[in-house]
Amino acid sequence: MKKVALITGGSRGIGLGIAHALADLGFNLAINGMRPASDVEATLDTLRQHGHKVIYCQGNIASLSDHAHILHAIKSDFGQLNLLVNNAGVAPKVRLDILQTTVESFDHVMNTNLRGPFFMTQSVANWMIEQKEKNYDFQAQIINISSISATVASTMRGEYCISKSGISMMTQLFAVRMAKHDIPVYEIRPGIIKSDMTAGVKEKYDTLIADGLTLQPRWGTPEDIGLAVKALANGAFPYSTGHVFMLDGGLTISKL
């Protein structure tokens, strides 16, 4: 039976890059997103060209009530879930200095980037344990997409940095808790990735990258992240639960 992956925010950007990589690996896919199904049908059709089943699970990860609908759809269509990729995330709608950050912006970012993924992971982890108890050979894992902002301070989007730092600790917590069930949990920490989220600051980062911001003088791509998820999902790092995989082109290396 083919393995099944749920990718939150999987219909565009980094999530779509991950989806194509997992489809190439042979996974059936549950793609989560907030847009109407009609708006993503063409995207889903491109994923189906890999030859596997793809369903769309519309819902807002920030809304805990939507989690039940998403998982119900997966149980109904596939009856199993082998991989959760927590990818959905938002940036502040307006970048403000931390001395002016609003409660509304903080809550918006934290609900989507941390609170939602935490409780989605909680639900999925419990289901994975149930599946493991019924079938010892059942294989599962969880991959969290965070950001270099987990450790690189940006005072104009502090709420985003805090949310990604929280994802890093969440990874460690679930790695510890799921270890006795032989379910690994990983964190991928992207750097400057060309996507919808960074489209508005493209000129800024074009200049910074040209001036040496990254050791590898280019933007990262959704395909770069997809390749890392594919390696993890394929079991390339079986003894690395809780580990952070840096995909930042060398940006965070301290250098003189």
Side-chain angles (χ1 to χ4, degrees):
M1 183 178 294
K2 291 181 181 179
K3 291 182 178 180
V4 178
L6 166 61
I7 307 163
T8 67
S11 66
R12 57 170 47 157
I14 289 175
L16 184 57
I18 292 169
H20 277 291
L22 291 176
D24 187 59
L25 193 58
F27 275 78
N28 287 327
L29 302 177
I31 302 297
N32 158 256
M34 291 179 59
R35 291 179 290 169
S38 58
D39 289 357
V40 300
E41 194 58 35
T43 297
L44 300 182
D45 283 342
T46 64
L47 290 170
R48 294 183 181 114
Q49 291 175 13
H50 290 273
H52 314 296
K53 186 173 182 179
V54 180
I55 67 169
Y56 185 57
C57 303
Q58 185 180 12
N60 183 357
I61 293 303
S63 172
L64 302 192
S65 63
D66 284 1
H67 295 185
H69 299 298
I70 293 167
L71 296 181
H72 176 74
I74 296 169
K75 291 176 182 179
S76 297
D77 278 271
F78 298 116
Q80 69 182 62
L81 182 61
N82 304 87
L83 171 60
L84 167 64
V85 181
N86 282 307
N87 167 74
V90 296
K93 294 178 181 178
V94 179
R95 292 191 178 202
L96 294 173
D97 186 282
I98 56 171
L99 297 182
Q100 283 81 41
T101 300
T102 66
V103 172
E104 291 76 16
S105 180
F106 188 93
D107 288 347
H108 171 64
V109 172
M110 295 295 285
N111 286 342
T112 302
N113 293 7
L114 182 57
R115 181 175 178 267
F118 178 89
F119 286 104
M120 173 60 84
T121 302
Q122 182 187 77
S123 296
V124 168
N126 279 303
W127 183 22
M128 286 178 169
I129 291 169
E130 291 176 11
Q131 294 174 91
K132 193 80 172 180
E133 289 175 344
K134 292 178 181 177
N135 177 11
Y136 179 79
D137 294 326
F138 175 78
Q139 295 180 325
Q141 59 182 264
I142 297 166
I143 301 174
N144 297 320
I145 309 301
S146 66
S147 166
I148 57 169
S149 294
T151 59
V152 177
S154 299
T155 59
M156 293 299 292
R157 52 178 188 149
E159 60 269 58
Y160 183 82
C161 296
I162 293 169
S163 72
K164 293 304 183 179
S165 180
I167 286 290
S168 294
M169 176 51 69
M170 187 184 97
T171 300
Q172 295 179 60
L173 289 167
F174 277 99
V176 171
R177 183 61 183 83
M178 301 300 283
K180 68 179 181 180
H181 301 288
D182 193 27
I183 297 175
V185 184
Y186 306 103
E187 176 189 350
I188 291 176
R189 198 175 287 177
I192 310 302
I193 307 299
K194 188 171 291 187
S195 68
D196 294 348
M197 186 179 291
T198 54
V201 288
K202 181 181 183 301
E203 185 176 341
K204 169 186 174 181
Y205 283 108
D206 281 344
T207 300
L208 289 172
I209 290 170
D211 289 343
L213 176 66
T214 56
L215 298 183
Q216 295 173 271
R218 67 170 177 86
W219 284 75
T221 67
E223 291 74 22
D224 290 322
I225 312 305
L227 287 171
V229 171
K230 183 178 180 179
L232 291 170
N234 203 28
F237 295 90
Y239 198 52
S240 299
T241 191
H243 193 72
V244 178
F245 292 83
M246 302 296 296
L247 275 76
D248 66 355
L251 186 154
T252 54
I253 294 177
S254 297
K255 48 192 179 291
L256 294 173

